[in-house]
């Protein structure tokens, strides 16, 4: 699934993820700042220094951010990763998360193809559709409805 998500991102798809019910979540996840029955935007997907990472944004509103590995205050960050991934410690409702944590927290993945008029063209052809129904009432074909 990780490779598919990378490919979707490379191909310009809009990505999101949905959390399920809090009743289905592990106890540890309940205390990690995740909003349940909500949709998160996936801003970025990166493989960096052996980590598979996703940058997500909280649902609209004022919510806590993820408090696990690669959250804003996580001790897992090092200077190189902070620089390469553009890490900032701000209350901006965005956070990074490992793919393993992502799989533990989220239950749905949303993949949307964005329509770009520069890459796609449209063609309008005037015409009319007419239905043609042929029906045979009996095996000897003596009755027909057209």
């Amino acid at each position: 699934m990780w490779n598919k998500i990378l490919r979707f991102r490379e191909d310009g798809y809009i990505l999101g993820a949905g959390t399920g019910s809090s009743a289905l979540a592990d106890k540890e996840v309940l205390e990690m700042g995740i909003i349940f029955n909500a949709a998160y935007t996936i801003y970025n997907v990166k493989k960096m220094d052996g980590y598979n990472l996703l940058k997500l944004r909280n649902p609209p509103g004022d919510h806590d951010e993820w408090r696990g590995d690669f959250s804003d205050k996580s001790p897992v960050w090092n200077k190189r990763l902070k620089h390469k991934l553009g890490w900032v410690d701000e209350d901006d409702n965005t956070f990074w998360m490992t793919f393993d944590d992502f799989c533990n927290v989220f239950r749905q993945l949303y993949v949307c193809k964005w329509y770009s008029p520069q890459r796609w063209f449209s063609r309008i052809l005037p015409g009319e559709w007419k239905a043609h129904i042929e029906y045979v009432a009996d095996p000897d074909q003596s009755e027909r409805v057209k």
Side-chain angles (χ1 to χ4, degrees):
M1 187 159 120
W2 171 252
N3 290 330
K4 284 186 177 185
I5 292 173
L6 276 175
R7 181 70 184 266
F8 291 144
R9 176 72 180 149
E10 289 169 4
D11 289 346
Y13 286 76
I14 299 168
L15 300 173
T19 55
S21 167
S22 60
L24 302 175
D26 292 337
K27 185 179 183 217
E28 300 82 35
V29 173
L30 292 173
E31 300 166 359
M32 299 303 283
I34 294 297
I35 308 304
F36 291 91
N37 292 321
Y40 285 70
T41 303
I42 300 173
Y43 276 174
N44 210 339
V45 180
K46 293 281 186 181
K47 185 171 185 76
M48 181 80 51
D49 293 351
Y51 295 105
N52 296 333
L53 299 168
L54 298 98
K55 184 177 184 180
L56 295 109
R57 185 180 198 304
N58 275 349
D62 188 23
H63 304 290
D64 287 339
E65 286 184 16
W66 168 248
R67 290 189 291 270
D69 287 347
F70 290 98
S71 62
D72 288 350
K73 307 276 190 232
S74 171
V76 178
W77 286 105
N78 61 43
K79 286 183 181 182
R80 174 185 160 73
L81 283 171
K82 285 179 180 181
H83 176 73
K84 289 286 189 181
L85 297 174
W87 173 90
V88 290
D89 183 8
E90 292 180 358
D91 189 17
D92 58 0
N93 284 321
T94 65
F95 57 91
W96 288 91
M97 174 184 271
T98 65
F99 180 64
D100 288 340
D101 285 334
F102 177 84
C103 291
N104 286 330
V105 171
F106 294 95
R107 298 293 174 251
Q108 296 94 21
L109 176 67
Y110 309 121
V111 181
C112 304
K113 181 67 177 170
W114 179 67
Y115 172 76
S116 169
Q118 290 78 28
R119 294 182 64 192
W120 295 86
F121 61 90
S122 64
R123 197 171 279 172
I124 300 172
L125 302 171
E128 184 178 325
W129 288 93
K130 292 184 179 182
H132 175 74
I133 301 172
E134 189 168 309
Y135 166 81
V136 178
D138 62 6
D140 67 7
Q141 299 184 9
S142 60
E143 291 183 31
R144 289 183 176 252
V145 176
K146 292 185 182 180

